[in-house]
Amino acid sequence: MYDVSKTVREFALEVPQATRVFEKLGIDYCCGGGKTLSDACDQAKIPVDEVLRRLSERGAQPAGDANWTQATLSDLIDHIVTRHHGYVKQELPRLEQLLNKVATKHGERHPELNEIKPIFARLSDELTSHMMKEENILFPYIKQLEGSATDSGRVRAPMFGTVRNPIHMMEIEHDSAGDCLAEMRELSSGYQAPEEGCFSYKTLYQALADFELDLHQHIHLENNILFPRAIAIEAGQ
């Protein structure tokens, strides 16, 4: 039924709820979406038949899950900024405070907490700069591109030459964010708090897991939908 030589990105775009299956199984569909499904399964050490079975079991896209492949780029950008950028800006200071609190109390018995702290700090700094560049430079230009295509006009060449250049930089930064997430997940044993962990400890790990899920979805929307469509619009002018 499915062609395992297709990329994970193609499955994420074409199969309803595929991203939910990939998330549950630990298959990278955002930064690593260019791999074939077969290769991605090998890397995740998951039988490809198991993945195909789960994909086949998924029903139609549930109500409330927008099909962003059909939306305008302007609407997609507004969703990314409001839903995902807004979430990141809200969670970063809360997570930093919670991580410092838990590490202070439990860091001696669980030194991995003190290893997670600098990784999270790096991720926080990178995401803050990343979102600023997108909101102030890249996203406005993509909206102009889409508007000029609709009006059969041309947008003035930007200082960065072609939209491919900032997109390439954003994708590199996405890869870096993905590496940070992977490091934190490994150090925390999949965000599993120890049995003796206090309420704050468990809250921290659940919040980090939620943050990881949101960032995966966030990067998927940009890498797999927004950026390729923006490049295609510019190429057609």
Side-chain angles (χ1 to χ4, degrees):
M1 182 177 178
Y2 294 122
D3 180 0
V4 298
S5 67
K6 281 189 172 184
T7 65
V8 173
R9 177 180 295 115
E10 289 174 308
F11 276 91
L13 295 175
E14 297 171 8
V15 180
Q17 299 192 75
T19 58
R20 299 185 184 210
V21 173
F22 294 153
E23 192 74 45
K24 187 176 183 64
L25 295 175
I27 293 175
D28 181 4
Y29 59 91
C30 48
C31 299
K35 296 185 181 71
T36 66
L37 182 63
S38 179
D39 288 344
C41 289
D42 287 343
Q43 183 175 341
K45 296 180 172 57
I46 299 170
V48 68
D49 288 345
E50 171 65 12
V51 178
L52 293 177
R53 182 184 66 79
R54 296 199 184 200
L55 289 172
S56 298
E57 288 176 350
R58 307 305 294 190
Q61 184 166 299
D65 279 16
N67 183 357
W68 292 109
T69 63
Q70 302 300 317
T72 66
L73 296 191
S74 180
D75 284 347
L76 176 54
I77 286 170
D78 290 344
H79 170 74
I80 290 170
V81 171
T82 302
R83 170 66 181 85
H84 295 290
H85 285 200
Y87 175 80
V88 170
K89 292 173 184 177
Q90 171 186 296
E91 287 297 287
L92 284 177
R94 183 178 85 92
L95 286 170
E96 180 183 16
Q97 183 178 28
L98 191 55
L99 177 55
N100 287 336
K101 175 183 176 181
V102 173
T104 297
K105 183 175 181 180
H106 298 277
E108 186 173 343
R109 291 189 63 187
H110 297 280
E112 67 274 7
L113 289 166
N114 291 316
E115 295 181 63
I116 290 172
K117 281 177 63 177
I119 299 170
F120 181 80
R122 183 170 80 248
L123 177 64
S124 178
D125 289 344
E126 289 180 358
L127 287 176
T128 299
S129 172
H130 178 88
M131 293 186 298
M132 186 180 303
K133 286 180 284 189
E134 287 186 332
E135 292 177 17
N136 294 321
I137 299 172
L138 179 57
F139 287 174
Y141 179 68
I142 291 176
K143 285 188 174 185
Q144 289 179 40
L145 270 179
E146 183 176 52
S148 66
T150 302
D151 298 336
S152 300
R154 293 184 64 85
V155 64
R156 187 167 63 180
M159 60 182 178
F160 45 75
T162 169
V163 75
R164 289 178 179 272
N165 292 329
I167 282 177
H168 179 62
M169 292 305 301
M170 294 303 99
E171 289 175 335
I172 290 174
E173 292 177 7
H174 285 167
D175 287 344
S176 178
D179 290 343
C180 289
L181 292 175
E183 288 180 64
M184 292 192 296
R185 173 167 282 278
E186 182 176 358
L187 286 166
S188 63
S189 300
Y191 298 119
Q192 293 297 313
E195 290 186 7
E196 75 277 10
C198 64
F199 178 76
S200 293
Y201 204 142
K202 294 174 182 177
T203 298
L204 168 68
Y205 273 11
Q206 182 59 58
L208 285 172
D210 292 342
F211 188 85
E212 178 188 66
L213 172 60
D214 185 84
L215 196 57
H216 284 168
Q217 295 171 339
H218 176 175
I219 293 173
H220 161 65
L221 291 176
E222 294 185 3
N223 279 12
N224 298 337
I225 302 177
L226 178 64
F227 294 166
R229 288 178 62 189
I231 289 170
I233 289 176
E234 186 184 64
Q237 288 200 340

